[in-house]
């Protein structure tokens, strides 16, 4: 009987971490029983998607992707907390800690990839899609905690609307050049969402910060769409690989 592919073993290890951490939190912190199955399901879906696109599976994911995978495990645990508003409210500092660690690792995986000569299109896409989902989780947490109304989900939805728009306007699919402005706005979004989580920040101030974050994100997307449209008019031809602000 042949050994399991190395990438599958690495993905399975992440699932063990998620299940173990959720089980510990349930036993020691008294979190709701729904956290474990939700977190495990979210991680399992992520792992299946990664396994589908990582070829061949016998090859290791590599150090940078393993860091991103661990960040995915943290995001899965945070998603599990959303299944119980009572758990989220009672352990908001634990949730914020998970989110802060995930934000920190967001910079680590890119550093590891660049300095280890292991930067790949797969790793960049994995990191970008996890970032988008992480922002959705944070926006949902603020909604559940009553820090903002449903409009806060627009911060997370903007990227998905952009991706859907590519089906209507294919010129949006062109690769965008690297942009410090785009990276700065992305970090600002996550940092703002994170800062607004703790109970010490009042609802009014949190709402003002979130509205500013939404406005900055809208401006950033507008800048990229304008650049893509000008490129389309200049070339007058269909565009190539997908990317996003």
């Amino acid at each position: 009987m042949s050994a399991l592919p190395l990438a599958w073993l690495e993905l399975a290890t992440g699932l063990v971490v998620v299940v173990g951490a959720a089980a510990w939190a349930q036993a020691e912190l008294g979190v709701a029983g729904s956290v474990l199955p939700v977190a495990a399901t979210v991680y399992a879906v992520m792992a299946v998607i990664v396994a589908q696109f990582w070829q061949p599976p016998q090859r290791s994911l590599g150090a940078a992707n393993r860091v991103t995978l661990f960040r995915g495990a943290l995001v899965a645990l945070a998603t599990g907390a959303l299944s119980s508003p009572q758990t989220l409210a009672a352990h908001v500092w634990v949730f914020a800690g998970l989110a802060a660690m995930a934000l920190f690792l967001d910079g680590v995986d890119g550093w590891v990839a660049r300095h280890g000569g292991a930067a790949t299109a797969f790793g960049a896409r994995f990191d970008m899609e996890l970032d988008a989902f992480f922002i959705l989780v944070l926006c949902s947490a603020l909604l559940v905690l009553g820090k903002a109304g449903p409009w806060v989900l627009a911060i997370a939805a903007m990227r998905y609307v952009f991706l859907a728009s590519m089906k209507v306007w294919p010129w949006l699919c062109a690769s965008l050049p690297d942009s410090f402005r785009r990276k700065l706005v992305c970090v600002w979004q996550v940092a703002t969402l994170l800062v607004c989580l703790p109970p010490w920040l009042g609802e009014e101030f949190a709402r003002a910060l979130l509205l500013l974050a939404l406005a900055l994100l809208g401006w950033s997307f507008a800048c990229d769409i304008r650049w893509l449209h000008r490129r389309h008019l200049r070339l007058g031809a269909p565009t190539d690989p997908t990317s996003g602000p």
Side-chain angles (χ1 to χ4, degrees), residues 198-230:
W200 53 261
L201 191 69
E203 290 182 21
E204 293 300 322
F205 191 41
R207 192 173 296 113
L209 288 176
L210 292 168
L211 285 170
L212 175 60
L214 179 59
L216 287 173
L217 185 61
W219 166 72
S220 182
F221 268 93
C223 290
D224 285 332
I225 291 171
R226 183 184 182 191
W227 186 92
L228 290 168
H229 188 248
R230 285 183 170 181

Side-chain angles (χ1 to χ4, degrees), residues 88-96 142 145 147 194-204 206:
L88 182 59
H91 301 286
V92 66
W93 285 107
V94 176
F95 182 92
L142 290 169
L145 290 170
K147 285 294 189 75
L194 188 55
V195 165
C196 290
L197 281 172
W200 53 261
L201 191 69
E203 290 182 21
E204 293 300 322

